Amino acid sequence: MSAPTVRRRRLGAKLKALRGDLTLEEVAERSNGTFVSSKLSRIETAKSPAKAKDIEALLALYVDLGREVDDELRAALLTLTREGAQRGWWHSYRGVLTPVYEDLISLEAEAESVSTWQLGLIPGLLQTAEYAREVIRATAMSEAVEARVDALVEVRLARQAVLTREEPLALWAIIAEQALRSTSETPGVMDEQLGRLLSMGKRPNVNIQVLRADAPLHVGQTGTFTILGFGAHTDLDVVHTEALTAALYVEDREKVSSYRDAWQRLSSAALSVEATAELITEIRKISV
């Protein structure tokens, strides 16, 4: 059995919330034989993948029991279910990617928005190929990663398709100024990267802010994080945090809310989108 993915855990958590104070046995009894409590438990705890027909039946039962299930929530939960059974393009890189990274890619593919705070690097969704290559090499802490650099660069660039698809992901990136002033031994890398920030920042679905290096102490100094948003039902949102040798997901509703508040503070402290473009242009002149 594969390890529970973030997608399945989010689905299970929402179904458990809809169940409310009913026990699993009570729900099974009221389903007239459609469900048994052990099956419901495996779905809620993400130990087993769910089938779309089961989720449709379960949501219909919860509506009959007086739970509020609007069309948007129904669609979101069915999307979580169906996407979990599909193989995305990233599955062809399964020997290269960690399960946590696969989760991130799949969540980006499903999300409506990404709000990210980056302390030392340009966000992956905005990186050029050469910048990505240098970052992957610089942060590689094992020979295994060093051997997969080309494939990891391919993956990073493929992820960026979410920004230009028919219904593009809304990206709002706040970047620490120090990330823009990084240097490279390879001529032109930072010039190209800063140019990409300027061009992508002109897209209607992309907003970029810079937090100046001389800004007062702020909450972002505790580390980088990314909030993946899934529309009006914010209790489906997930936070991704990453360190040198590990990454994790924050799914608890109150903790996700704390990250959302932190991101808002950072956005308020950062330069405006317009002032950010001016600063990037100035730094780019120096980097040439």
Side-chain angles (χ1 to χ4, degrees), residues 73-131:
L73 176 58
R74 183 188 305 275
L77 295 182
L78 288 173
T79 295
L80 284 175
T81 306
R82 294 184 177 117
E83 291 289 343
Q86 294 178 0
R87 292 175 63 86
W89 59 262
W90 53 91
H91 283 272
S92 61
Y93 292 90
R94 297 207 80 171
V96 175
L97 307 177
T98 64
V100 174
Y101 196 8
E102 285 192 53
D103 271 346
L104 174 63
I105 298 170
S106 66
L107 289 169
E108 285 177 344
E110 300 162 20
E112 290 187 15
S113 65
V114 163
S115 304
T116 186
W117 156 245
Q118 295 293 321
L119 187 56
L121 298 172
I122 306 300
L125 291 176
L126 297 173
Q127 291 180 6
T128 64
E130 290 310 309
Y131 178 88

Short mmCIF file of all heavy atoms in Angstrom, two decimals, residues 73-131:
data_model
loop_
_atom_site.label_atom_id
_atom_site.label_comp_id
_atom_site.label_asym_id
_atom_site.label_seq_id
_atom_site.Cartn_x
_atom_site.Cartn_y
_atom_site.Cartn_z
N LEU A 73 -18.13 22.77 -3.33
CA LEU A 73 -17.48 21.80 -2.46
C LEU A 73 -17.54 20.41 -3.06
O LEU A 73 -16.56 19.66 -3.04
CB LEU A 73 -18.14 21.81 -1.08
CG LEU A 73 -17.61 20.76 -0.08
CD1 LEU A 73 -16.12 20.95 0.15
CD2 LEU A 73 -18.37 20.84 1.23
N ARG A 74 -18.70 20.07 -3.61
CA ARG A 74 -18.84 18.74 -4.24
C ARG A 74 -17.81 18.57 -5.36
O ARG A 74 -17.14 17.54 -5.45
CB ARG A 74 -20.26 18.60 -4.80
CG ARG A 74 -20.55 17.22 -5.41
CD ARG A 74 -21.91 17.22 -6.11
NE ARG A 74 -22.96 17.66 -5.21
CZ ARG A 74 -23.60 16.85 -4.37
NH1 ARG A 74 -23.29 15.57 -4.33
NH2 ARG A 74 -24.55 17.32 -3.60
N ALA A 75 -17.69 19.59 -6.19
CA ALA A 75 -16.74 19.52 -7.31
C ALA A 75 -15.31 19.41 -6.80
O ALA A 75 -14.51 18.65 -7.35
CB ALA A 75 -16.90 20.76 -8.20
N ALA A 76 -14.99 20.16 -5.74
CA ALA A 76 -13.63 20.13 -5.19
C ALA A 76 -13.28 18.75 -4.65
O ALA A 76 -12.18 18.23 -4.90
CB ALA A 76 -13.48 21.18 -4.10
N LEU A 77 -14.22 18.13 -3.93
CA LEU A 77 -13.95 16.82 -3.34
C LEU A 77 -13.88 15.73 -4.41
O LEU A 77 -13.05 14.81 -4.32
CB LEU A 77 -15.01 16.48 -2.30
CG LEU A 77 -15.04 17.40 -1.07
CD1 LEU A 77 -16.10 16.93 -0.08
CD2 LEU A 77 -13.67 17.45 -0.40
N LEU A 78 -14.70 15.85 -5.44
CA LEU A 78 -14.63 14.87 -6.52
C LEU A 78 -13.35 15.03 -7.33
O LEU A 78 -12.79 14.05 -7.82
CB LEU A 78 -15.87 15.00 -7.42
CG LEU A 78 -17.18 14.49 -6.81
CD1 LEU A 78 -18.35 14.81 -7.71
CD2 LEU A 78 -17.09 12.98 -6.55
N THR A 79 -12.89 16.29 -7.44
CA THR A 79 -11.61 16.51 -8.13
C THR A 79 -10.48 15.87 -7.34
O THR A 79 -9.60 15.21 -7.92
CB THR A 79 -11.34 18.01 -8.29
OG1 THR A 79 -12.32 18.57 -9.17
CG2 THR A 79 -9.96 18.25 -8.89
N LEU A 80 -10.48 16.04 -6.03
CA LEU A 80 -9.47 15.40 -5.19
C LEU A 80 -9.48 13.88 -5.39
O LEU A 80 -8.43 13.24 -5.46
CB LEU A 80 -9.72 15.71 -3.72
CG LEU A 80 -9.35 17.09 -3.21
CD1 LEU A 80 -9.81 17.25 -1.77
CD2 LEU A 80 -7.87 17.33 -3.32
N THR A 81 -10.67 13.33 -5.50
CA THR A 81 -10.81 11.89 -5.65
C THR A 81 -10.31 11.42 -7.01
O THR A 81 -9.52 10.48 -7.11
CB THR A 81 -12.29 11.48 -5.48
OG1 THR A 81 -12.78 11.98 -4.24
CG2 THR A 81 -12.44 9.97 -5.51
N ARG A 82 -10.77 12.07 -8.06
CA ARG A 82 -10.42 11.64 -9.42
C ARG A 82 -8.96 11.88 -9.73
O ARG A 82 -8.30 11.05 -10.35
CB ARG A 82 -11.31 12.35 -10.43
CG ARG A 82 -12.79 11.94 -10.32
CD ARG A 82 -13.62 12.59 -11.39
NE ARG A 82 -15.01 12.15 -11.33
CZ ARG A 82 -16.05 12.94 -11.08
NH1 ARG A 82 -15.84 14.24 -10.88
NH2 ARG A 82 -17.27 12.46 -11.03
N GLU A 83 -8.43 13.03 -9.29
CA GLU A 83 -7.02 13.32 -9.56
C GLU A 83 -6.13 12.31 -8.86
O GLU A 83 -5.05 11.98 -9.34
CB GLU A 83 -6.67 14.74 -9.07
CG GLU A 83 -7.32 15.85 -9.88
CD GLU A 83 -6.74 15.99 -11.27
OE1 GLU A 83 -5.64 15.45 -11.50
OE2 GLU A 83 -7.37 16.61 -12.13
N GLY A 84 -6.60 11.81 -7.72
CA GLY A 84 -5.80 10.83 -7.00
C GLY A 84 -5.63 9.53 -7.75
O GLY A 84 -4.68 8.78 -7.52
N ALA A 85 -6.55 9.26 -8.67
CA ALA A 85 -6.48 8.01 -9.43
C ALA A 85 -5.79 8.19 -10.78
O ALA A 85 -5.56 7.22 -11.50
CB ALA A 85 -7.90 7.48 -9.65
N GLN A 86 -5.47 9.41 -11.15
CA GLN A 86 -4.85 9.67 -12.44
C GLN A 86 -3.34 9.78 -12.32
O GLN A 86 -2.80 10.13 -11.28
CB GLN A 86 -5.41 10.98 -13.04
CG GLN A 86 -6.88 10.90 -13.39
CD GLN A 86 -7.41 12.21 -13.92
OE1 GLN A 86 -6.68 13.19 -14.03
NE2 GLN A 86 -8.69 12.24 -14.26
N ARG A 87 -2.68 9.49 -13.43
CA ARG A 87 -1.23 9.62 -13.48
C ARG A 87 -0.89 10.92 -14.19
O ARG A 87 -1.25 11.12 -15.34
CB ARG A 87 -0.62 8.43 -14.23
CG ARG A 87 -0.77 7.11 -13.50
CD ARG A 87 -0.26 5.97 -14.36
NE ARG A 87 1.16 6.10 -14.63
CZ ARG A 87 2.12 5.65 -13.83
NH1 ARG A 87 1.79 5.07 -12.69
NH2 ARG A 87 3.38 5.78 -14.14
N GLY A 88 -0.22 11.82 -13.50
CA GLY A 88 0.19 13.08 -14.11
C GLY A 88 1.50 12.91 -14.86
O GLY A 88 2.16 11.87 -14.80
N TRP A 89 1.92 13.96 -15.56
CA TRP A 89 3.16 13.90 -16.35
C TRP A 89 4.37 13.58 -15.48
O TRP A 89 5.34 12.97 -15.94
CB TRP A 89 3.37 15.22 -17.08
CG TRP A 89 3.48 16.43 -16.18
CD1 TRP A 89 2.50 17.31 -15.87
CD2 TRP A 89 4.65 16.87 -15.47
NE1 TRP A 89 2.96 18.27 -15.00
CE2 TRP A 89 4.28 18.03 -14.75
CE3 TRP A 89 5.96 16.42 -15.37
CZ2 TRP A 89 5.19 18.72 -13.93
CZ3 TRP A 89 6.86 17.11 -14.57
CH2 TRP A 89 6.47 18.24 -13.87
N TRP A 90 4.30 13.98 -14.20
CA TRP A 90 5.45 13.79 -13.31
C TRP A 90 5.70 12.32 -12.96
O TRP A 90 6.77 11.99 -12.46
CB TRP A 90 5.26 14.60 -12.03
CG TRP A 90 3.96 14.34 -11.34
CD1 TRP A 90 3.71 13.40 -10.37
CD2 TRP A 90 2.72 15.02 -11.56
NE1 TRP A 90 2.39 13.45 -9.98
CE2 TRP A 90 1.76 14.45 -10.69
CE3 TRP A 90 2.32 16.06 -12.40
CZ2 TRP A 90 0.43 14.88 -10.65
CZ3 TRP A 90 1.00 16.49 -12.35
CH2 TRP A 90 0.08 15.90 -11.49
N HIS A 91 4.75 11.45 -13.25
CA HIS A 91 4.95 10.03 -12.92
C HIS A 91 6.07 9.42 -13.77
O HIS A 91 6.66 8.41 -13.37
CB HIS A 91 3.65 9.24 -13.11
CG HIS A 91 2.67 9.43 -12.01
ND1 HIS A 91 2.67 8.66 -10.87
CD2 HIS A 91 1.68 10.33 -11.84
CE1 HIS A 91 1.71 9.06 -10.05
NE2 HIS A 91 1.10 10.08 -10.62
N SER A 92 6.37 10.03 -14.91
CA SER A 92 7.46 9.52 -15.72
C SER A 92 8.82 9.81 -15.08
O SER A 92 9.85 9.29 -15.52
CB SER A 92 7.42 10.12 -17.13
OG SER A 92 7.55 11.53 -17.08
N TYR A 93 8.82 10.64 -14.02
CA TYR A 93 10.05 10.96 -13.30
C TYR A 93 10.08 10.31 -11.92
O TYR A 93 10.81 10.76 -11.04
CB TYR A 93 10.17 12.47 -13.12
CG TYR A 93 10.41 13.25 -14.40
CD1 TYR A 93 9.35 13.72 -15.15
CD2 TYR A 93 11.71 13.49 -14.86
CE1 TYR A 93 9.57 14.44 -16.32
CE2 TYR A 93 11.94 14.21 -16.02
CZ TYR A 93 10.86 14.68 -16.76
OH TYR A 93 11.08 15.38 -17.91
N ARG A 94 9.34 9.25 -11.74
CA ARG A 94 9.19 8.67 -10.40
C ARG A 94 10.50 8.19 -9.80
O ARG A 94 10.66 8.16 -8.60
CB ARG A 94 8.19 7.51 -10.42
CG ARG A 94 6.78 7.94 -10.80
CD ARG A 94 5.74 7.04 -10.22
NE ARG A 94 5.47 7.38 -8.83
CZ ARG A 94 4.47 6.85 -8.14
NH1 ARG A 94 3.66 5.98 -8.70
NH2 ARG A 94 4.28 7.18 -6.88
N GLY A 95 11.46 7.84 -10.64
CA GLY A 95 12.75 7.43 -10.11
C GLY A 95 13.61 8.60 -9.71
O GLY A 95 14.67 8.42 -9.11
N VAL A 96 13.15 9.82 -10.01
CA VAL A 96 13.91 11.04 -9.75
C VAL A 96 13.34 11.82 -8.57
O VAL A 96 14.08 12.39 -7.77
CB VAL A 96 13.92 11.94 -11.01
CG1 VAL A 96 14.59 13.27 -10.73
CG2 VAL A 96 14.61 11.22 -12.16
N LEU A 97 12.02 11.81 -8.45
CA LEU A 97 11.34 12.66 -7.48
C LEU A 97 11.05 11.93 -6.18
O LEU A 97 10.76 10.73 -6.17
CB LEU A 97 10.01 13.16 -8.06
CG LEU A 97 10.10 13.85 -9.42
CD1 LEU A 97 8.70 14.23 -9.90
CD2 LEU A 97 10.99 15.07 -9.36
N THR A 98 11.10 12.66 -5.09
CA THR A 98 10.67 12.11 -3.81
C THR A 98 9.15 12.16 -3.74
O THR A 98 8.50 12.95 -4.45
CB THR A 98 11.23 12.93 -2.64
OG1 THR A 98 10.66 14.26 -2.69
CG2 THR A 98 12.75 13.02 -2.71
N PRO A 99 8.51 11.33 -2.91
CA PRO A 99 7.05 11.38 -2.78
C PRO A 99 6.55 12.76 -2.37
O PRO A 99 5.49 13.20 -2.84
CB PRO A 99 6.77 10.33 -1.70
CG PRO A 99 7.91 9.37 -1.81
CD PRO A 99 9.10 10.20 -2.15
N VAL A 100 7.30 13.46 -1.52
CA VAL A 100 6.88 14.79 -1.08
C VAL A 100 6.89 15.77 -2.25
O VAL A 100 5.98 16.60 -2.39
CB VAL A 100 7.79 15.31 0.05
CG1 VAL A 100 7.46 16.75 0.40
CG2 VAL A 100 7.65 14.44 1.29
N TYR A 101 7.88 15.66 -3.12
CA TYR A 101 7.95 16.54 -4.28
C TYR A 101 6.83 16.21 -5.26
O TYR A 101 6.22 17.10 -5.86
CB TYR A 101 9.32 16.39 -4.96
CG TYR A 101 9.67 17.49 -5.93
CD1 TYR A 101 8.89 18.64 -6.07
CD2 TYR A 101 10.80 17.38 -6.74
CE1 TYR A 101 9.23 19.64 -6.96
CE2 TYR A 101 11.15 18.38 -7.64
CZ TYR A 101 10.36 19.50 -7.75
OH TYR A 101 10.69 20.50 -8.64
N GLU A 102 6.53 14.93 -5.43
CA GLU A 102 5.40 14.55 -6.28
C GLU A 102 4.10 15.15 -5.75
O GLU A 102 3.26 15.62 -6.54
CB GLU A 102 5.28 13.02 -6.34
CG GLU A 102 6.32 12.35 -7.21
CD GLU A 102 5.96 10.90 -7.47
OE1 GLU A 102 4.84 10.62 -7.91
OE2 GLU A 102 6.81 10.03 -7.20
N ASP A 103 3.93 15.13 -4.45
CA ASP A 103 2.74 15.74 -3.85
C ASP A 103 2.66 17.22 -4.19
O ASP A 103 1.60 17.75 -4.55
CB ASP A 103 2.76 15.57 -2.33
CG ASP A 103 2.10 14.29 -1.88
OD1 ASP A 103 1.41 13.66 -2.70
OD2 ASP A 103 2.26 13.91 -0.71
N LEU A 104 3.79 17.93 -4.08
CA LEU A 104 3.81 19.36 -4.38
C LEU A 104 3.39 19.61 -5.82
O LEU A 104 2.57 20.50 -6.10
CB LEU A 104 5.20 19.93 -4.14
CG LEU A 104 5.38 21.40 -4.56
CD1 LEU A 104 4.47 22.32 -3.75
CD2 LEU A 104 6.84 21.82 -4.40
N ILE A 105 3.92 18.85 -6.75
CA ILE A 105 3.60 19.05 -8.17
C ILE A 105 2.12 18.79 -8.43
O ILE A 105 1.45 19.54 -9.15
CB ILE A 105 4.47 18.14 -9.05
CG1 ILE A 105 5.95 18.50 -8.88
CG2 ILE A 105 4.08 18.28 -10.51
CD1 ILE A 105 6.90 17.51 -9.52
N SER A 106 1.59 17.72 -7.83
CA SER A 106 0.18 17.41 -8.04
C SER A 106 -0.73 18.47 -7.43
O SER A 106 -1.76 18.83 -7.99
CB SER A 106 -0.16 16.03 -7.48
OG SER A 106 -0.05 16.01 -6.07
N LEU A 107 -0.34 19.01 -6.27
CA LEU A 107 -1.13 20.05 -5.64
C LEU A 107 -1.09 21.34 -6.46
O LEU A 107 -2.11 22.02 -6.62
CB LEU A 107 -0.61 20.31 -4.22
CG LEU A 107 -0.91 19.21 -3.20
CD1 LEU A 107 -0.13 19.46 -1.92
CD2 LEU A 107 -2.39 19.11 -2.92
N GLU A 108 0.08 21.69 -7.00
CA GLU A 108 0.18 22.86 -7.88
C GLU A 108 -0.73 22.70 -9.08
O GLU A 108 -1.36 23.66 -9.54
CB GLU A 108 1.61 23.06 -8.35
CG GLU A 108 2.56 23.62 -7.30
CD GLU A 108 3.97 23.72 -7.81
OE1 GLU A 108 4.30 23.09 -8.84
OE2 GLU A 108 4.79 24.41 -7.16
N ALA A 109 -0.82 21.48 -9.61
CA ALA A 109 -1.64 21.22 -10.79
C ALA A 109 -3.13 21.41 -10.50
O ALA A 109 -3.90 21.75 -11.40
CB ALA A 109 -1.37 19.81 -11.31
N GLU A 110 -3.53 21.19 -9.26
CA GLU A 110 -4.95 21.28 -8.88
C GLU A 110 -5.33 22.62 -8.27
O GLU A 110 -6.50 23.01 -8.27
CB GLU A 110 -5.28 20.18 -7.88
CG GLU A 110 -5.06 18.77 -8.39
CD GLU A 110 -4.98 17.76 -7.26
OE1 GLU A 110 -5.45 18.08 -6.15
OE2 GLU A 110 -4.43 16.67 -7.48
N ALA A 111 -4.36 23.33 -7.72
CA ALA A 111 -4.64 24.55 -6.96
C ALA A 111 -5.15 25.68 -7.85
O ALA A 111 -4.87 25.73 -9.05
CB ALA A 111 -3.38 25.01 -6.22
N GLU A 112 -5.89 26.59 -7.24
CA GLU A 112 -6.31 27.82 -7.91
C GLU A 112 -5.29 28.92 -7.71
O GLU A 112 -5.14 29.80 -8.56
CB GLU A 112 -7.68 28.27 -7.39
CG GLU A 112 -8.84 27.38 -7.79
CD GLU A 112 -10.18 27.98 -7.40
OE1 GLU A 112 -10.24 29.19 -7.08
OE2 GLU A 112 -11.16 27.22 -7.40
N SER A 113 -4.61 28.88 -6.57
CA SER A 113 -3.65 29.94 -6.26
C SER A 113 -2.47 29.41 -5.48
O SER A 113 -2.56 28.39 -4.79
CB SER A 113 -4.35 31.05 -5.44
OG SER A 113 -4.74 30.55 -4.17
N VAL A 114 -1.36 30.12 -5.61
CA VAL A 114 -0.17 29.86 -4.81
C VAL A 114 0.33 31.19 -4.28
O VAL A 114 0.55 32.13 -5.04
CB VAL A 114 0.94 29.18 -5.64
CG1 VAL A 114 2.29 29.29 -4.92
CG2 VAL A 114 0.61 27.71 -5.89
N SER A 115 0.46 31.28 -2.96
CA SER A 115 1.02 32.47 -2.31
C SER A 115 2.30 32.04 -1.63
O SER A 115 2.27 31.21 -0.71
CB SER A 115 0.04 33.03 -1.28
OG SER A 115 -1.21 33.31 -1.87
N THR A 116 3.43 32.55 -2.09
CA THR A 116 4.70 32.04 -1.60
C THR A 116 5.60 33.14 -1.07
O THR A 116 5.60 34.27 -1.58
CB THR A 116 5.43 31.26 -2.72
OG1 THR A 116 6.60 30.65 -2.18
CG2 THR A 116 5.82 32.17 -3.88
N TRP A 117 6.34 32.80 -0.02
CA TRP A 117 7.36 33.69 0.55
C TRP A 117 8.69 32.98 0.40
O TRP A 117 8.85 31.85 0.87
CB TRP A 117 7.07 33.99 2.01
CG TRP A 117 8.29 34.38 2.82
CD1 TRP A 117 8.83 33.68 3.87
CD2 TRP A 117 9.13 35.53 2.65
NE1 TRP A 117 9.94 34.31 4.36
CE2 TRP A 117 10.15 35.46 3.63
CE3 TRP A 117 9.12 36.61 1.77
CZ2 TRP A 117 11.15 36.43 3.75
CZ3 TRP A 117 10.12 37.58 1.89
CH2 TRP A 117 11.10 37.49 2.87
N GLN A 118 9.63 33.63 -0.27
CA GLN A 118 10.94 33.03 -0.51
C GLN A 118 12.03 33.90 0.08
O GLN A 118 12.18 35.07 -0.28
CB GLN A 118 11.16 32.84 -2.01
CG GLN A 118 10.19 31.86 -2.66
CD GLN A 118 10.39 30.44 -2.18
OE1 GLN A 118 11.52 29.98 -1.99
NE2 GLN A 118 9.29 29.72 -1.96
N LEU A 119 12.79 33.31 0.98
CA LEU A 119 13.80 34.07 1.72
C LEU A 119 15.12 34.18 0.97
O LEU A 119 15.77 35.23 0.98
CB LEU A 119 14.02 33.41 3.08
CG LEU A 119 14.91 34.12 4.09
CD1 LEU A 119 14.41 35.53 4.36
CD2 LEU A 119 14.97 33.32 5.38
N GLY A 120 15.53 33.10 0.30
CA GLY A 120 16.86 33.13 -0.31
C GLY A 120 16.91 32.81 -1.79
O GLY A 120 17.96 32.96 -2.41
N LEU A 121 15.79 32.35 -2.36
CA LEU A 121 15.78 31.91 -3.75
C LEU A 121 14.60 32.48 -4.51
O LEU A 121 13.58 32.85 -3.91
CB LEU A 121 15.70 30.37 -3.81
CG LEU A 121 16.85 29.58 -3.19
CD1 LEU A 121 16.50 28.10 -3.18
CD2 LEU A 121 18.15 29.82 -3.93
N ILE A 122 14.72 32.52 -5.82
CA ILE A 122 13.59 32.83 -6.69
C ILE A 122 12.63 31.63 -6.64
O ILE A 122 13.09 30.48 -6.68
CB ILE A 122 14.06 33.08 -8.14
CG1 ILE A 122 15.15 34.16 -8.18
CG2 ILE A 122 12.88 33.45 -9.03
CD1 ILE A 122 14.73 35.50 -7.65
N PRO A 123 11.32 31.83 -6.59
CA PRO A 123 10.40 30.70 -6.55
C PRO A 123 10.59 29.78 -7.76
O PRO A 123 10.85 30.24 -8.88
CB PRO A 123 9.01 31.37 -6.59
CG PRO A 123 9.25 32.74 -6.06
CD PRO A 123 10.62 33.13 -6.50
N GLY A 124 10.44 28.48 -7.54
CA GLY A 124 10.63 27.50 -8.61
C GLY A 124 9.76 27.75 -9.82
O GLY A 124 10.19 27.50 -10.95
N LEU A 125 8.54 28.24 -9.61
CA LEU A 125 7.63 28.49 -10.73
C LEU A 125 8.07 29.66 -11.60
O LEU A 125 7.51 29.88 -12.67
CB LEU A 125 6.21 28.74 -10.21
CG LEU A 125 5.50 27.53 -9.59
CD1 LEU A 125 4.14 27.93 -9.03
CD2 LEU A 125 5.33 26.41 -10.63
N LEU A 126 9.08 30.40 -11.16
CA LEU A 126 9.56 31.56 -11.91
C LEU A 126 11.03 31.43 -12.33
O LEU A 126 11.59 32.36 -12.89
CB LEU A 126 9.38 32.84 -11.08
CG LEU A 126 7.94 33.22 -10.74
CD1 LEU A 126 7.93 34.40 -9.77
CD2 LEU A 126 7.14 33.55 -11.99
N GLN A 127 11.62 30.29 -12.09
CA GLN A 127 13.04 30.13 -12.36
C GLN A 127 13.32 29.86 -13.84
O GLN A 127 12.53 29.20 -14.52
CB GLN A 127 13.62 28.97 -11.53
CG GLN A 127 13.68 29.26 -10.04
CD GLN A 127 14.24 28.10 -9.24
OE1 GLN A 127 14.69 27.10 -9.80
NE2 GLN A 127 14.21 28.22 -7.92
N THR A 128 14.45 30.35 -14.32
CA THR A 128 14.94 29.98 -15.64
C THR A 128 15.67 28.65 -15.52
O THR A 128 16.01 28.20 -14.42
CB THR A 128 15.92 31.03 -16.20
OG1 THR A 128 17.08 31.06 -15.36
CG2 THR A 128 15.28 32.41 -16.25
N ALA A 129 15.96 28.03 -16.67
CA ALA A 129 16.63 26.73 -16.66
C ALA A 129 18.02 26.82 -16.03
O ALA A 129 18.39 25.98 -15.20
CB ALA A 129 16.73 26.19 -18.08
N GLU A 130 18.79 27.84 -16.40
CA GLU A 130 20.16 27.93 -15.90
C GLU A 130 20.21 28.31 -14.42
O GLU A 130 21.05 27.82 -13.67
CB GLU A 130 20.97 28.92 -16.74
CG GLU A 130 21.27 28.41 -18.14
CD GLU A 130 21.85 27.00 -18.14
OE1 GLU A 130 22.83 26.77 -17.39
OE2 GLU A 130 21.32 26.13 -18.85
N TYR A 131 19.30 29.17 -14.00
CA TYR A 131 19.24 29.51 -12.58
C TYR A 131 18.85 28.26 -11.79
O TYR A 131 19.44 27.95 -10.75
CB TYR A 131 18.23 30.63 -12.34
CG TYR A 131 18.06 31.02 -10.89
CD1 TYR A 131 18.87 31.97 -10.30
CD2 TYR A 131 17.07 30.42 -10.10
CE1 TYR A 131 18.71 32.33 -8.96
CE2 TYR A 131 16.90 30.76 -8.77
CZ TYR A 131 17.72 31.73 -8.20
OH TYR A 131 17.56 32.07 -6.88
#
